[in-house]
Amino acid sequence: MSIHKNAKIGKGVSIGSYVVIEEGVIIGDYVTIGHHCIIKSGVVLKDHIIIGDMVILGQRTSSNKKMARKPSKHLGELIIEEDTIIGSQVTLYKGSKISEGVFLADYVSIREQVEVGSHSIIGRQAMIEPNTSIGSYVTIQTGSYITADTIIEDEVFIGPCCSMSNDKYMASGKGIHKGPIIRKGAKIGNNATLLPEIEIGEQAVVGAGAVVTKSIPAQEVFVGNPARKLV
């Protein structure tokens, strides 16, 4: 175990074996930290958080020369609010916020500049890319890929293995990067594909396996490839 002398640790904290806690980390009261976790500087954990084994909190960004969009080098703290549960082998980057009561299942990856609203659920192996907003009481199920620059409003349901994209021209350097907007209460079926810049209206339903190439109005049901209104 390695705990930096300048880390602040509250009362009733349980720390597993081989944990690393870096300088300036702030840990609230009654937090449980599993084995082999790394908590990097710039992480703030509020009270009553449960962290599984082999978790990395406060991961830094990196890039290479080919990447057109370089990640920001000036990211704020990773803030995790109270009563959050984090599974094993989860990686959370600096500069994001996880609100109270969120459940992150095993192997979840959440990049920088992401906000997850209260009481949301992120399923196993889901990937959340940068600059994304996820509302409260959202469910994102196993294996889903949420592209960068996406907006997901409150009470949205996203089924397993949903995939999204934000680059209409596929790394050609044209246009802007903009992911889907999914409005309040919409439901996305498993294995659906959402293309860049589309909007899914409030309470709309996207069927399993649908490929959504255009925006869908509120309260409509769309299915198929390409997705069409169910009549």
Side-chain angles (χ1 to χ4, degrees), residues 145-157:
Y145 175 78
I146 311 301
T147 190
D149 313 293
T150 293
I151 297 173
I152 300 173
E153 294 187 345
D154 297 344
E155 300 172 18
V156 166
F157 174 89

Side-chain angles (χ1 to χ4, degrees), residues 190-195 206-214 216 221-230:
N190 60 292
N191 286 294
T193 300
L194 309 184
L195 270 60
V206 174
V211 178
V212 183
T213 61
K214 298 179 180 179
I216 293 176
V221 178
F222 273 60
V223 298
N225 180 10
R228 294 182 175 86
K229 182 178 178 180
L230 184 65

Side-chain angles (χ1 to χ4, degrees), residues 130-134 146-152 164 166 179-182:
N131 193 34
T132 288
S133 173
I134 297 172
I146 311 301
T147 190
D149 313 293
T150 293
I151 297 173
I152 300 173
M164 305 179 188
N166 68 349
I181 299 173
I182 306 176

Side-chain angles (χ1 to χ4, degrees), residues 30-77:
Y30 304 106
V31 172
T32 298
I33 301 170
H35 305 304
H36 297 273
C37 292
I38 301 174
I39 305 177
K40 297 177 178 287
S41 58
V43 173
V44 178
L45 302 176
K46 300 298 181 68
D47 301 340
H48 300 284
I49 292 170
I50 298 174
I51 300 169
D53 300 327
M54 295 179 283
V55 169
I56 301 176
L57 301 180
Q59 178 74 308
R60 280 75 162 178
T61 59
S62 59
S63 64
N64 68 4
K65 293 181 180 179
K66 185 179 184 298
M67 291 178 65
R69 300 180 67 194
K70 300 294 191 295
S72 174
K73 296 180 180 179
H74 305 288
L75 296 170
E77 298 172 322

Side-chain angles (χ1 to χ4, degrees), residues 16-191:
S17 301
Y18 305 104
V19 170
V20 175
I21 300 175
E22 293 185 350
E23 181 179 7
V25 169
I26 299 174
I27 299 175
D29 298 337
Y30 304 106
V31 172
T32 298
I33 301 170
H35 305 304
H36 297 273
C37 292
I38 301 174
I39 305 177
K40 297 177 178 287
S41 58
V43 173
V44 178
L45 302 176
K46 300 298 181 68
D47 301 340
H48 300 284
I49 292 170
I50 298 174
I51 300 169
D53 300 327
M54 295 179 283
V55 169
I56 301 176
L57 301 180
Q59 178 74 308
R60 280 75 162 178
T61 59
S62 59
S63 64
N64 68 4
K65 293 181 180 179
K66 185 179 184 298
M67 291 178 65
R69 300 180 67 194
K70 300 294 191 295
S72 174
K73 296 180 180 179
H74 305 288
L75 296 170
E77 298 172 322
L78 169 63
I79 300 174
I80 303 175
E81 299 284 0
E82 60 271 9
D83 298 315
T84 291
I85 299 174
I86 300 173
S88 295
Q89 302 193 54
V90 170
T91 301
L92 306 181
Y93 280 65
K94 286 189 67 177
S96 289
K97 180 181 178 182
I98 311 300
S99 298
E100 69 275 6
V102 168
F103 178 80
L104 305 177
D106 300 340
Y107 305 102
V108 163
S109 174
I110 297 181
R111 290 285 303 274
E112 69 278 7
Q113 297 171 313
V114 171
E115 183 164 350
V116 180
S118 62
H119 305 287
S120 288
I121 297 171
I122 312 294
R124 285 172 59 92
Q125 295 183 315
M127 300 180 65
I128 316 296
E129 297 284 32
N131 193 34
T132 288
S133 173
I134 297 172
S136 298
Y137 295 95
V138 169
T139 297
I140 298 174
Q141 292 202 331
T142 298
S144 288
Y145 175 78
I146 311 301
T147 190
D149 313 293
T150 293
I151 297 173
I152 300 173
E153 294 187 345
D154 297 344
E155 300 172 18
V156 166
F157 174 89
I158 297 175
C161 302
C162 177
S163 179
M164 305 179 188
S165 57
N166 68 349
D167 186 359
K168 185 181 294 185
Y169 300 101
M170 294 185 289
S172 68
K174 300 177 182 179
I176 61 171
H177 291 81
K178 185 177 180 182
I181 299 173
I182 306 176
R183 297 298 185 189
K184 182 177 179 180
K187 299 182 186 298
I188 314 297
N190 60 292
N191 286 294

